[in-house]
Amino acid sequence: MSWRFLCDLLSGVNKYSTRIGRIWVAVVFMFRLMVYAVAAESIWKYEHDEFECNIKQPGCENVCFDHFFPVSHISLWALQLIMVSAPSLLVVFHVAYRENREKRHNQKLYRSPGELDGGLLCTYLTSLILKTGLEIVFLVLFYKLYNGFKVPRLVKCDIRPCPSTVDCYISKPTEKMIFLYFLVATSCLCIVLNLSELSYLIFKYSIKCYLKRYIKKCQ
Amino acid sequence: MDWGSLHTILGGVNKHSTSIGKIWLTVLFIFRIMILVVAAERVWGDEQDDFVCNTLQPGCKNVCYDHFFPISHIRLWALQLIFVSTPALLVAMHVAYRRHEKKKQFRKGDRKCDYKDIEEIRKQRFHIEGPLWWTYTSSIFFRLVFEAVFMYAFYFMYDGFRMPRLMKCNAWPCPNTVDCFVSRPTEKTVFTIFMIAVSSICILLNVAELCYLLAKFFLRRSKRAGNPKHHPNHENKEETKQNEMNELISDSCQNTNTGFSG
């Protein structure tokens, strides 16, 4: 099990997406998954080993690291990628359900099982809302857990068994900060894409419904 | 998820590229991505562990390393390769959109669509003309911009492309100016110069491709302006009309024959 599974999932979703949805998939692939896998993971690889406190007291470093990094940036990043891609599964399941239904009844029930209309449109809109919501939740979580998106060079720690207030140094803080800002920027871009897609779909289908009603009235 | 996935995505674009574009893609994968993965990552792998400062003061090494390497070479290269490869996705998406439109036409049974089956549409190679020309040219332009920006960022951040053996650091909590030694400076310099050289070659290839596309565009325009009768669309219409007439003639001949043979 690796990121390949997520790639395959996103490729499957691409088939049933609108144009903006395909841009979203491309952004997630290139600027989030790839950057995570080929660059970001290696920065945080030895973060615990390289976290150094100005003290020889055993256990002090462990306790201070745990206090300042309850969940590591990189683990939160991975969770965010998985959670944000997961709502797309709703669309895949709904299309599979439609195809199964057609097979069972042995007749054409839909114009095309993958076409965005009726129930599938509602599912698609729901997945968009969930994706946007989850992006915002994770951004807020990042902000609250780490007091903003800055990574300081030095943190002061006075938790037992540290005998007094001790200076602890974080490794590669500037590099980590640059990648965190990159993460925030791509998250915001994905939120904008999701909201645009939502508005576009709502607008398009409202116009369609209005026109249908207008034609019926004229008839 | 690794560089192999990027190869899969960009491999599809290769079919619709110019010859210079195909060379650029080959240079990108063999001389940049492969070198990054098989050699450069090993050279920079132990960079912080083997970065040694002449002090026992805890935290001094961390702070000095962070001061001299705000972002590691290897990560900057990885970001550069991702950004430089992304514009090719524009072309891939445009081609996919055109294929989708052709498949729609084929399914509707449109007479204009002269494909025998869906497989033929899937395997078709699109020529770089019309809107695809604009997408392709924009992607080359963005590639050039990203290459230039990253090369400048390298030069600006590391004061040139040389990796020094010794750096003097007096950032707090270092007690005074401390000597810090970089691991494998010569090997890192060699790889840095190699990557910069290949980046420059890629920039030259992109410029050549851009000039080639612009030259082709202006030549085509001047031909059309010079001889409107030989406009390709005009010629096609003439040919189609002739084909239809030939069919009518052959049909009427057949009918006459059967009439006589009957």
Side-chain angles (χ1 to χ4, degrees), chain B residues 212-251:
Chain B
Y212 166 73
L213 286 169
L214 287 169
K216 211 170 146 188
F217 174 75
F218 286 120
L219 260 169
R220 220 184 287 142
R221 253 185 134 183
S222 62
K223 266 191 191 166
R224 263 188 232 162
N227 214 340
K229 275 189 185 173
H230 288 143
H231 191 279
N233 284 346
H234 190 82
E235 274 186 348
N236 281 342
K237 278 185 193 161
E238 290 279 309
E239 281 174 9
T240 342
K241 266 190 195 163
Q242 191 61 50
N243 284 340
E244 281 177 13
M245 280 182 65
N246 291 342
E247 274 179 33
L248 276 168
I249 293 167
S250 66
D251 280 346

Side-chain angles (χ1 to χ4, degrees), chain A residues 14 16-23 116 124 197 200-201:
Chain A
N14 206 22
Y16 314 119
S17 300
T18 61
R19 280 168 220 174
I20 305 178
R22 286 183 187 144
I23 298 174
L116 283 181
Y124 196 85
E197 201 180 358
Y200 164 73
L201 283 170

Side-chain angles (χ1 to χ4, degrees), chain A residues 93-151:
Chain A
F93 287 155
H94 196 141
V95 172
Y97 164 76
R98 277 185 167 189
E99 283 168 354
N100 261 343
R101 222 171 141 226
E102 274 188 348
K103 262 191 205 163
R104 251 187 297 132
H105 293 270
N106 219 3
Q107 55 175 288
K108 205 171 166 60
L109 296 166
Y110 309 100
R111 213 164 24 179
S112 161
E115 199 172 316
L116 283 181
D117 55 8
L120 187 60
L121 176 65
C122 292
T123 309
Y124 196 85
L125 290 173
T126 312
S127 76
L128 281 175
I129 294 168
L130 279 173
K131 272 190 236 172
T132 314
L134 285 166
E135 292 274 17
I136 295 171
V137 161
F138 273 93
L139 280 178
V140 169
L141 204 61
F142 259 109
Y143 190 84
K144 291 275 183 203
L145 265 175
Y146 301 110
N147 273 339
F149 300 113
K150 283 203 176 121
V151 181

Side-chain angles (χ1 to χ4, degrees), chain B residues 155-223:
Chain B
Y155 188 82
F156 178 75
M157 260 197 265
Y158 298 110
D159 267 334
F161 302 122
R162 226 184 115 251
M163 182 73 78
R165 269 185 193 175
L166 161 73
M167 290 166 164
K168 291 195 182 283
C169 174
N170 60 1
W172 191 83
C174 304
N176 46 40
T177 304
V178 144
D179 291 338
C180 292
F181 301 91
V182 178
S183 76
R184 306 187 219 217
T186 311
E187 201 169 4
K188 285 176 180 171
T189 307
V190 165
F191 273 98
T192 306
I193 291 174
F194 180 85
M195 293 295 261
I196 297 294
V198 180
S199 249
S200 312
I201 292 172
C202 286
I203 289 176
L204 287 170
L205 285 169
N206 284 331
V207 169
E209 200 177 4
L210 203 58
C211 295
Y212 166 73
L213 286 169
L214 287 169
K216 211 170 146 188
F217 174 75
F218 286 120
L219 260 169
R220 220 184 287 142
R221 253 185 134 183
S222 62
K223 266 191 191 166

